[in-house]
Structures are given as structure tokens and as C-alpha cells.
Amino acid sequence: MGREYPLNRIWKDSFLYRSICCRRGFGVHSPFVFNLITKVIEEECPYYRYADIELFRKCLLDEERVLEYPDWKGKGKIRERSVREIVRRMAISPKQGALLFRIANYFKPRDILQIGTRAGISTLYLTSYATGLRCVALEENPALAELTEEALARRGRNPVDLRMGDYEATLPRALADMGRVDLVSFASVAGLAEPRRLFDACAGYADANTVCVFEGIRRNRKSRAFWDEIRALSGVTVSLDLYAMGIVLFNPKLHKRDYIVYF
């Protein structure tokens, strides 16, 4: 790939460019990717689980209960925030959560790994498409872990193995216990200390049918650089840049191609 100059990047990040690229599958020659765009990413039909999960979100947004958690910057301080504020700031949006549900519903994963739970809202979206799933959810924020436990207890459709602790410590054990992963969800690339190291660990347990979903791939310079690295890897055959989220596939039967999709 040639060098990408600043003006070229600005154009590719513009609303007009993103609205044109692959809209309704335009210009996509791969039947598999065409179906993924038109039947999953751009699907607008509501599923009944959406309303149930969003009703739970509404309940959390009405809560004034205060939770404590360590300072994000690792300075040893303890922060306090209400449940309402935590959910408002950190939970996945309804639009992105619905996409997670559709991705899971389309690929039918049986072994799901989640790195970061986003207060349990994204966990509910990922694990609600069917019963009999196996999901391991990792969370390093105590407040988000507490809300995730509550979400699963009140609205969960499948038992979820929630593990609390630093991701670099909990991920290797989780992968070893699972043996394989069908779907891996990274809750926020921008908030991870070593996203590439975590991805490489997961890639060792991926196969041709594994799907990885990343949130926040363009939130800052670090997350954009990470996304550019991932989509350029030889093992990644297809990447879809939705601006707020990214999807990568490992299927060697697909031609290597990067897509930009309006979402």
C-alpha cells in the first residue's frame, strides 16, 4: 500500500466519502461480504430483545446509587460515580449494541470472548440471540463488573463466566480454558493499554470462522494506528471499517480486501 497523505485521510474520514463507500453493498463483488453488509450491518428490522435490553438500560439510567472504582490513570485514587453517570458514559450505544446482536445472530458463535463488558449492556446484546452459548467476559473495572453481574442476573439469557482483573492476566487463562473462539469482542480499543498484544493472543485461538469486533477504532491516534496494523496483517482476509466499529475476518477463502461501510 502507498503512503496515505493527510488530505487523503481527511477525505476518507469525511461523511460524504463514507456515505458513498459500499452503501447498500455498492461495488462489493464478494457475495459473502455483500450479504454481511446488506443483511447485518444495514439491517433495520427490530428484534424483540432490543426493547428488553434497552428497558434495562433505562432502569440503570434512573439509578443514583454511587459506585467506587480505581482511577483510570492508575494513580491510586478512588473515583466515585453514580450508576446513571457510569452507564451514560461507558455503556455501548443502542445502535452499536444492536449491531453486536445482529453479528452474533448471523455468525451463530458458540464460544464468545468479550474483553470489556461496557456495564453489561454489550454482554446482553452479544449473548441474547440464542441459548446454549458459552461466553467468557473479562472486565478490569470493578464498577462495570458489578453492573455486569446485575445485568446478567436480571436480563441474561445465558450463563456468562465473568472474570475480574487485569486483561493481560485474565486473558491467557480464559483462552486456555476455552480452547477456541468463534467471536471476540473488544469493548474499546482506545481504552486498552496493549490492544495489539491482546489481539495477538486471541488470534492464536482463531480459525477460519472466527470474527473479531472492535469498538472505538478511530477514537484517537493510537486506536487508528492499531486498526491500520490489524487490517494489514496477512492472516486477516477481510476488514470492514464502520468508523465507530471495526470487523475482521480470517477466512482464507475470501479475497483480502478492506471495506469502508457507512454505519
Side-chain angles (χ1 to χ4, degrees):
M1 296 177 64
R3 180 180 177 184
E4 188 172 63
Y5 293 94
L7 287 178
N8 191 29
R9 178 175 286 279
I10 291 173
W11 164 238
K12 287 188 175 182
D13 284 349
S14 69
F15 176 80
L16 178 60
Y17 181 85
R18 303 186 66 83
S19 298
I20 295 173
C21 281
C22 301
R23 181 69 169 171
R24 302 298 182 192
F26 176 79
V28 177
H29 301 292
S30 166
F32 180 89
V33 178
F34 181 86
N35 286 334
L36 181 58
I37 293 173
T38 57
K39 296 182 179 180
V40 181
I41 296 173
E42 296 182 345
E43 173 64 63
E44 296 180 353
C45 295
Y47 290 82
Y48 76 96
R49 286 293 292 173
Y50 293 177
D52 189 45
I53 295 171
E54 289 307 314
L55 180 61
F56 176 69
R57 184 202 300 269
K58 186 177 183 300
C59 293
L60 293 180
L61 289 173
D62 289 335
E63 278 204 41
E64 296 293 344
R65 173 167 48 108
V66 174
L67 298 179
E68 296 182 348
Y69 58 89
D71 182 76
W72 299 114
K73 299 180 181 179
K75 296 181 178 180
K77 296 181 180 179
I78 299 297
R79 289 184 177 270
E80 293 184 350
R81 276 202 178 120
S82 67
V83 170
R84 171 192 293 183
E85 188 68 8
I86 291 173
V87 172
R88 188 180 69 82
R89 286 171 173 262
M90 305 176 193
I92 193 171
S93 70
K95 181 180 180 180
Q96 294 177 17
L99 178 58
L100 282 183
F101 178 94
R102 294 196 300 272
I103 290 172
N105 187 57
Y106 184 76
F107 287 100
K108 302 292 189 293
R110 309 307 298 179
D111 297 283
I112 300 173
L113 174 63
Q114 185 179 33
I115 302 175
T117 62
R118 303 292 293 273
I121 302 296
S122 61
T123 312
L124 292 177
Y125 273 112
L126 273 175
T127 60
S128 293
Y129 86 90
T131 57
L133 310 178
R134 178 172 66 158
C135 177
V136 176
L138 309 181
E139 181 55 68
E140 59 184 7
N141 184 314
L144 297 183
E146 181 176 336
L147 291 176
T148 300
E149 287 183 337
E150 184 177 340
L152 295 171
R154 295 173 58 180
R155 291 291 193 277
R157 195 177 180 190
N158 288 281
V160 174
D161 184 357
L162 177 62
R163 304 186 184 188
M164 174 67 194
D166 180 80
Y167 295 139
E168 291 205 41
T170 57
L171 181 59
R173 179 60 184 273
L175 289 169
D177 290 345
M178 296 182 76
R180 63 187 299 274
V181 286
D182 297 323
L183 190 154
V184 183
S185 172
F186 292 79
S188 177
V189 173
L192 297 176
E194 297 289 343
R196 178 59 190 275
R197 191 178 303 174
L198 300 179
F199 172 81
D200 287 343
C202 295
Y205 290 80
D207 58 28
N209 298 314
T210 300
V211 182
C212 286
V213 183
F214 307 89
E215 296 175 43
I217 61 170
R218 294 188 176 274
R219 190 164 297 170
N220 54 33
R221 183 178 299 177
K222 177 183 175 182
S223 59
R224 290 194 297 270
F226 166 78
W227 175 247
D228 289 341
E229 286 182 22
I230 295 305
R231 66 187 181 85
L233 293 175
S234 59
V236 172
T237 53
V238 170
S239 73
L240 296 101
D241 178 353
L242 315 184
Y243 197 79
M245 302 174 73
I247 304 171
V248 299
L249 308 174
F250 301 86
N251 193 337
K253 294 181 180 180
L254 301 174
H255 293 291
K256 188 169 180 63
R257 183 76 185 272
D258 302 318
Y259 296 90
I260 295 178
V261 184
Y262 174 73
F263 176 68

